[in-house]
Amino acid sequence: MRRKLIVVSNRGPVTFSRDSDGRRVAGRGGGGLAGALRGLTEENDVVWIASAMSDEDREVAREGASVCEGYELRLIAHDAGVYEQYYGEISNGALWFLQHYLWGLASEPDLGPAFHAAWQGYVAANRAFADAVAGELERMPEADVSFHDYHLYLAPRFVRERCPRASLSHFLHIPWVQPDYWRVLPTAVGRAIHEGLAANDTVGFHSERWRRSFLESCEAFGVESPATFVAPIGIDADEFDVLAESEAVAAEEAHIVARRPELLVVRVDRTDPSKNIVRGFRAFALLLERHPELAGRVGMLALLDPSRQHVSVYAEYRAAVEREARVVNERFGRPGWEPVDLEVADNFPQAVAAYKQYDVLLVNAVYDGMNLVAKEGPIANRRDGVLVLSENAGAFDELGEWALGVNPFDLEEQAEALHEALTMPAAERRRRAEAIAGWVRGHGIDEWTATLLAELDRHTSTITSP
């Protein structure tokens, strides 16, 4: 029996535009979350509620629900100013930085009038989402509601106030910080976030570490925690296998093979401060300094997707990344060998091609809810490559036994891990690579979506009529 499910996320699975003939066309929505949630639409009757992202999206929003690939899509056309406050200033300008421990508290943040004004935009956008959910529950009172991520912390409480017996779940895809760090926010804001999440029947996390921190912060704010669970998200390995053998990837791989050094370190990231790219370059420089015998033999290919470049902090971080790459190349480079090959572009086939060719995959995030690069790379790799993985990535809970774990702030430890990975005996490299690939294939995206629905069934209210 197919369940009725209301999925709520900031970005939807598709976005609309017009082609050269003026016809409406649907393209894949941005961001990885929407793709991960697509599996929920295959075996459930889904209404998906999301923000209108394009002008054509806004036109679709005015027309009402749209049927796409077997599910209904309901888009919310926020006021442009409200959306910037909700998404740009609070979600990405404050919550993302707080929940990845990116603020240096001696100098930031300054939570003045601009922050408090933006918070009202966050409240307004969350109310708009809640109104849309409540409208759907009036039409389908038996439906379960699945909220996703940090954009929607307040919406569950607003829904609960209108639909007290609704079945509500929330999954968080980023880290959850410890209670003292939440105290950086104004007290009323921190409390509202915790009360919003506590209105759910159940809240899920990628890592037991993030779940424990959530329980501790609920206690610190005097908020009764809902039921919680851990469900590490996976990938669709079969889909990835097909992509890895595609013509687009083969063309990119040929280009990489033609210019690769004997040993290749790869990193694939967004230009986001949480990804720790600058420290990664510095650790690579320390490796070259400590091991001059690697000069000319090893290179780092850094493929970076430009992220949120309209936000000044992100633009400044990208500039810092580019400066650091130049510093390494000017210090160690020589004719015919450039230690760091930095490419900033949105080119996923190139990233998959690099996955196939790495000898070492460096994932040294400051903090990360999961980090799917650590799972995608080993599935595609053809060289028994070694994964060097931050202990602060959610993926470390699953893969740490076979990866080389590193403290993302310790340059010396990262440099030594890179050296160990590059000089590891072939049999040990193969053992680790096969173990990671086997784990990822055995714990895919279908397992994650099944767990979400099973936890919803275990913990939600027994009477769902509003």
Side-chain angles (χ1 to χ4, degrees):
M1 183 175 179
R2 292 170 66 88
R3 75 165 71 212
K4 296 186 184 299
L5 184 65
I6 301 169
V7 175
V8 195
S9 61
N10 178 59
R11 287 184 181 269
V14 299
T15 187
F16 296 95
S17 60
R18 295 278 177 174
D19 65 15
S20 57
D21 295 324
R23 294 173 297 190
R24 177 178 290 165
V25 293
R28 188 160 185 164
L33 174 58
L37 293 173
R38 282 175 177 269
L40 292 173
T41 69
E42 296 175 1
E43 298 180 0
N44 305 283
D45 293 327
V46 171
V47 176
W48 199 316
I49 299 173
S51 296
M53 308 301 293
S54 67
D55 290 342
E56 194 63 24
D57 284 356
R58 300 177 75 82
E59 183 60 33
V60 171
R62 284 190 285 270
E63 296 170 2
S66 175
V67 177
C68 300
E69 301 178 3
Y71 59 90
E72 290 185 49
L73 177 64
R74 184 171 297 279
L75 296 176
I76 300 172
H78 304 281
D79 172 82
V82 166
Y83 187 80
E84 172 56 26
Q85 291 177 321
Y86 144 78
Y87 180 75
E89 298 181 43
I90 298 298
S91 295
N92 291 328
L95 295 177
W96 180 271
F97 275 73
L98 179 136
Q99 291 191 247
H100 290 82
Y101 292 96
L102 295 177
W103 277 330
L105 298 184
S107 58
E108 57 184 352
D110 291 329
L111 304 179
F115 173 87
H116 288 272
W119 176 250
Q120 295 309 310
Y122 185 86
V123 173
N126 272 254
R127 283 198 181 278
F129 277 105
D131 290 345
V133 171
E136 294 300 324
L137 286 172
E138 290 174 3
R139 184 168 65 92
M140 303 184 302
E142 72 278 24
D144 298 314
V145 183
S146 179
F147 293 100
H148 287 268
D149 235 351
Y150 58 105
H151 313 89
L152 302 171
Y153 284 153
L154 308 185
R157 184 183 180 192
F158 296 151
V159 172
R160 183 69 72 196
E161 290 169 352
R162 292 180 56 176
C163 309
R165 296 179 181 178
S167 173
L168 308 180
S169 181
H170 207 129
F171 197 90
L172 303 181
H173 296 266
I174 65 174
W176 192 270
V177 294
Q178 295 174 338
D180 284 349
Y181 212 66
W182 279 105
R183 296 292 187 186
V184 175
L185 297 179
T187 301
V189 170
R191 174 170 287 279
I193 288 170
H194 285 75
E195 289 177 345
L197 284 169
N200 291 285
D201 294 288
T202 184
V203 177
F205 303 85
H206 288 309
S207 166
E208 173 63 21
R209 181 179 182 179
W210 314 141
R211 189 190 74 87
R212 287 198 307 268
S213 291
F214 175 73
L215 296 177
E216 291 170 1
S217 65
C218 282
E219 182 179 1
F221 277 89
V223 173
E224 184 177 355
S225 170
T228 57
F229 67 97
V230 175
I233 196 168
I235 65 172
D236 186 333
D238 292 338
E239 182 181 45
F240 215 81
D241 288 340
V242 172
L243 175 62
E245 300 305 321
S246 67
E247 291 184 5
V249 170
E252 294 289 353
E253 186 178 10
H255 183 58
I256 292 172
V257 170
R259 72 182 198 272
R260 62 161 291 152
E262 174 190 349
L263 301 169
L264 184 62
V265 178
V266 166
R267 69 174 308 140
V268 175
D269 283 306
R270 292 181 296 108
T271 54
D272 184 308
S274 69
K275 301 304 181 183
N276 209 24
I277 301 161
V278 170
R279 285 196 188 96
F281 288 164
R282 290 173 179 167
F284 186 62
L286 185 57
L287 169 73
L288 297 177
E289 177 185 309
R290 294 280 179 84
H291 299 280
E293 72 277 7
L294 292 174
R297 296 180 57 212
V298 65
M300 175 181 282
L301 175 58
L303 302 180
L304 309 181
D305 187 358
S307 177
R308 301 168 184 161
Q309 292 301 288
H310 63 287
V311 179
S312 61
V313 175
Y314 286 84
E316 291 166 4
Y317 189 71
R318 174 178 172 174
V321 166
E322 292 171 343
R323 284 195 303 272
E324 197 65 33
R326 287 195 300 271
V327 167
V328 177
N329 287 337
E330 290 170 2
R331 181 181 176 192
F332 295 100
R334 64 192 192 194
W337 175 61
E338 189 172 65
V340 176
D341 182 356
L342 171 62
E343 300 196 24
V344 181
D346 181 3
N347 186 345
F348 193 55
Q350 183 186 37
V352 177
Y355 288 157
K356 295 175 74 173
Q357 283 292 313
Y358 73 77
D359 296 295
V360 180
L361 180 64
L362 176 61
V363 178
N364 69 326
V366 173
Y367 283 89
D368 228 329
M370 170 52 68
N371 195 295
L372 290 181
V373 168
K375 295 188 172 185
E376 294 170 348
I379 286 292
N381 188 249
R382 303 294 187 265
R383 296 177 62 88
D384 292 332
V386 179
L387 174 62
V388 175
L389 181 60
S390 169
E391 295 170 346
N392 290 340
F396 188 80
D397 284 9
E398 297 177 87
L399 309 181
E401 178 181 352
W402 309 292
L404 295 180
V406 292
N407 177 339
F409 308 102
D410 187 337
L411 300 187
E412 184 158 334
E413 185 176 64
Q414 291 173 66
E416 287 306 309
L418 289 172
H419 184 256
E420 181 180 354
L422 290 167
T423 58
M424 186 177 291
E428 179 64 7
R429 292 169 60 85
R430 184 174 304 112
R431 183 189 73 82
R432 290 170 180 260
E434 289 177 351
I436 293 176
W439 177 272
V440 174
R441 291 186 184 279
H443 299 81
I445 189 67
D446 290 344
E447 180 181 278
W448 178 73
T449 55
T451 302
L452 259 61
L453 298 179
E455 291 294 330
L456 194 57
D457 290 339
R458 284 181 60 198
H459 296 294
T460 52
S461 306
T462 56
I463 302 175
T464 58
S465 299

